[in-house]
Amino acid sequence: QVRLVMKAHSFIRENVPRVLSSVKDKPGTVHIPRISQYLYFLFAPTLIYRDSYPRNPTIRWSYVATKFAQVLGSLFYAYYIFVRLCIPQFRNSSQETFNLRGLVLCIFNSILPGVLILFLVFFAFLHCWLNAFAEMLRFADRMFYK
């Protein structure tokens, strides 16, 4: 939702001044972006709206399949982390009476799986998922990390 709000803000910030200036200068000609431009912007891995973006000539479907396979692999690895590291810890803690020592042990035993899941989310979404959609949309400007 934050990403969509940021995209909506960028779209409005880019287009409202342009529309207002064209209404003041020439009342008959108002440049309104097309729906296809807005939909492309919603799926493109960028937060800055432009009417057109640099595009690649072709789509490398093997690259797209590789990125989606990496997303799927990340999901299976996250499942493995939950099954092996999280569920046994919380299963044991739910059978005991509540005490501070058990809570602290549960939290400290959950730090490593939490960090691993955080890295998996970063890799799966911000790297694999967005690169796959960038390739399918032929989005050429892939400076995600700069």
Side-chain angles (χ1 to χ4, degrees):
Q1 289 176 346
V2 171
R3 183 174 171 261
L4 289 176
V5 168
M6 291 171 73
K7 282 187 174 255
H9 174 73
S10 175
F11 181 77
I12 291 169
R13 185 158 174 106
E14 283 291 320
N15 288 307
V16 167
R18 186 174 15 171
V19 169
L20 291 177
S21 67
S22 67
V23 167
K24 289 178 186 174
D25 295 341
K26 302 171 210 158
T29 60
V30 178
H31 176 71
I32 299 174
R34 296 188 314 264
I35 295 292
S36 62
Q37 291 172 327
Y38 182 68
L39 286 176
Y40 183 86
F41 170 63
L42 282 181
F43 289 100
T46 182
L47 293 175
I48 300 170
Y49 176 78
R50 298 287 180 253
D51 287 334
S52 64
Y53 296 97
R55 310 271 308 261
N56 288 331
T58 60
I59 299 173
R60 300 175 294 172
W61 290 106
S62 62
Y63 182 80
V64 173
T66 302
K67 291 302 171 190
F68 281 134
Q70 289 174 349
V71 169
L72 192 62
S74 297
L75 289 174
F76 281 125
Y77 187 50
Y79 173 75
Y80 178 79
I81 289 172
F82 275 115
V83 168
R84 292 290 179 190
L85 298 175
C86 294
I87 293 174
Q89 177 65 32
F90 289 109
R91 183 177 294 138
N92 293 338
S93 67
S94 66
Q95 295 170 352
E96 300 172 2
T97 59
F98 177 78
N99 59 13
L100 186 60
R101 180 182 178 276
L103 177 67
V104 170
L105 283 175
C106 196
I107 289 172
F108 280 118
N109 287 332
S110 299
I111 289 174
L112 178 64
V115 169
L116 289 173
I117 296 295
L118 182 68
F119 285 146
L120 280 173
V121 166
F122 174 79
F123 176 74
F125 180 71
L126 294 178
H127 180 71
C128 297
W129 188 264
L130 291 180
N131 266 313
F133 269 95
E135 186 66 32
M136 287 190 297
L137 292 172
R138 298 184 305 143
F139 189 76
D141 186 18
R142 297 193 197 163
M143 299 290 195
F144 296 138
Y145 308 118
K146 288 191 176 182

